[in-house]
Amino acid sequence: MPIDTLDLIADHLIITHSLIEEDDGAKAALPGARIALLEVGLALAARMRMQGRSLN
């Protein structure tokens, strides 16, 4: 399956979250990164639900 933009965004946000956690000076950015991860995760889940329905 080819990787699309939403998958790439999720990958980058996961990397971003990991890097922020390692840097004490950047911890203030964690809440925003976590919210973005949540939103992308919800979008990925919705897409998976729609793909599952189209298969049935």
Side-chain angles (χ1 to χ4, degrees):
M1 175 169 74
I3 296 177
D4 70 352
T5 304
L6 197 54
D7 291 320
L8 288 172
I9 292 169
D11 290 345
H12 283 85
L13 284 170
I14 291 167
I15 293 167
T16 299
H17 188 275
S18 297
L19 291 171
I20 291 170
E21 281 194 329
E22 290 180 4
D23 183 1
D24 288 334
K27 293 235 189 240
L30 270 176
R34 288 179 177 152
I35 291 169
L37 274 167
L38 172 65
E39 293 295 329
V40 170
L42 292 172
L44 285 168
R47 182 179 71 190
M48 290 175 69
R49 276 194 305 273
M50 293 305 291
Q51 288 174 345
R53 287 185 183 145
S54 66
L55 295 175
N56 292 334

